[in-house]
Amino acid sequence: MRARTPHRPARPAQPSTTSVALGTAGTGQVETTRADPRQDPLFVQSIDRALQVLSAFHETSRPLTLQDISRITGLGRSAVQRMIFTLRALGYIDRDPDDRGYVPGLRILDHTLDFQRLNPVVVKANPILLELRRMTRERVDLSLRDDLRLVYATRLQSKREILTSTLIGNSVPLFCTSGGWAIMAHLDQAEVEDILHRSDRIRHTPHTLTDLRDLRRAVAETRERGYAVAREQILTGEIALGVAILNAQGDPVAAIHLAGSLAEWSREDFEKQFAPLMIQAARTIGRA
Amino acid sequence: MRARTPHRPARPAQPSTTSVALGTAGTGQVETTRADPRQDPLFVQSIDRALQVLSAFHETSRPLTLQDISRITGLGRSAVQRMIFTLRALGYIDRDPDDRGYVPGLRILDHTLDFQRLNPVVVKANPILLELRRMTRERVDLSLRDDLRLVYATRLQSKREILTSTLIGNSVPLFCTSGGWAIMAHLDQAEVEDILHRSDRIRHTPHTLTDLRDLRRAVAETRERGYAVAREQILTGEIALGVAILNAQGDPVAAIHLAGSLAEWSREDFEKQFAPLMIQAARTIGRA
DNA sequence: CCCTCAGGTATCGCATTGCAATACTCTAGT
DNA sequence: ACTAGAGTATTGCAATGCGATACCTGAGGG
């Protein structure tokens, strides 16, 4: 139990503060405009509870029983049972066919599709990513920033992709990924510090950078170059280029990645070959 | 507005009736064990309402305003506003960065990942699908049945994939797809009739079969062959093989597809080449 | 330039609605 | 056979969410 699902926050972030952030920054202290949304009278408790139930599956890698969910969410048995009933009626939770227990339901994928259809970054990026993969023949990804992590929204497999971990919705931390460095390169140093300090800097490979000085340098280098290069930060034997995508206000909201194998590429070749393409692609997407 | 999102049911299906279905079948009348879950005392209204708000995005291809959502869901402005506030605080809805309006939020993808990690069929199928694509070099998909439609859960692009419509969560109707025929081939004729009659048999290409007699024949042929062959039913120029995946009880709960181009393949070659592989793969997944 | 309209946000009282407690059924394990 | 664990169902009371209403802002338009 408690599978190593990387860094998915059990409790989500604040709502509108993201857009503020810039003016009041300074020391990297994020000024929370609204103290805590979940004790705001506008906050609908029961939605929260229902989504907590759905989110209980984040914690597991097996079907859950009622009491599992009750334990994970901290909600009472009755409440959980009522919600499961409802969520099941609506198709958001199913019974596991063989084993007994509950699993996420099919209807979730309807919302996945909506997200992909409606998110402007994803929509703009997709054709460009396809083109990018056509030209590079390597793995191309788009990830969106969610506070300390990057969530993969589009993944285009390369020729021989074995790992099943190339799934939409997977997330990686900002602090040790090409995309994360690319994004931090577009923030003021105060915010970078804030991010680095709040991240729990877990080592994914023996080469993962975790020292603050190293990470600062990685970000600084990225800032100069205009793109990030990450070697074996998440996966051994993998090299990745990352470029940030800016929204209309100039905030880095997403990143594109290109990942190749160090068995095939030297760092220099990989960069020389692909960095210009990446930068061009990111500009086109972000209209920067 | 009201974009042609194919066949996503605005109102979802009943919960536990699916598993019953078989014993009481007969005339194709599905015996509703529980009259209507949403007037059951166990049914939590406010979850339903919240998810209706999230589902409002099914209807659109642009960001939605509060009143849009209010209109689509039929809920009052106040209620919608409170829910948007909550859903936004939780990350399930975002503000569109440029344009004004709301869009589905990133946190949705967390649940997508859960679904893919936990759904036993998807988990079992993925490695086999990868192998299948390696051998065929064509597009390979896994889709799960949801009443009258098949929802794509895994999609492995082929070499030159242009269309952005190869997204997870996309759905196609049972009645006119290789996967659908493969699934119906494993149901009794009464259920097939029920499905065919309840489907609204829209023509997707000039070659889409819509006549009941033709469709019955397609299913019958599939039943004999053990796999389905669909030519240009959804996409012009495309040929697809479909094989059903059975769960432990022998019900067809999913299907795998192999899609190729008629410019490259004759129907005969495509079948001869790939049908055995497909059947083998489906057996392995379904453990039938 | 002021008015209006559309969109978003906030407040409050009342009754709807969902939770805790409890009890019942079923299956599996010892 | 008894116990434990899982799922399901019912009920009373009060927490909680909805409707009505009002406020704020920016964008057009006369």
Side-chain angles (χ1 to χ4, degrees), chain A residues 4 175-176 200-211 233-234:
Chain A
R4 179 74 88 64
F175 83 91
C176 69
D200 61 338
R201 302 192 292 285
I202 289 175
R203 207 177 284 281
H204 291 77
T205 77
H207 300 90
T208 304
L209 300 183
T210 57
D211 185 62
Q233 292 294 298
I234 296 282

Side-chain angles (χ1 to χ4, degrees), chain A residues 119-130 132 140-146 150-154 174 178-187 222 226-228 241-258 277-288, chain B residues 97-98:
Chain A
N119 185 290
V121 177
V122 174
V123 170
K124 257 193 268 177
N126 272 340
I128 294 160
L129 293 179
L130 276 165
L132 201 57
V140 177
D141 300 314
L142 171 74
S143 61
L144 272 52
R145 184 188 171 194
D146 181 35
L150 282 172
V151 182
Y152 288 105
T154 302
L174 278 188
S178 60
W181 294 344
I183 283 183
M184 286 190 279
H186 283 272
L187 301 174
T222 302
Y227 61 90
L241 301 184
V243 183
I245 292 175
L246 309 179
N247 68 5
Q249 290 80 48
D251 309 319
V253 293
I256 56 178
H257 314 255
L258 186 72
L277 292 177
M278 295 280 290
I279 292 177
Q280 180 57 37
R283 270 220 191 97
T284 311
I285 297 168
R287 185 175 317 281
Chain B
D98 327 298

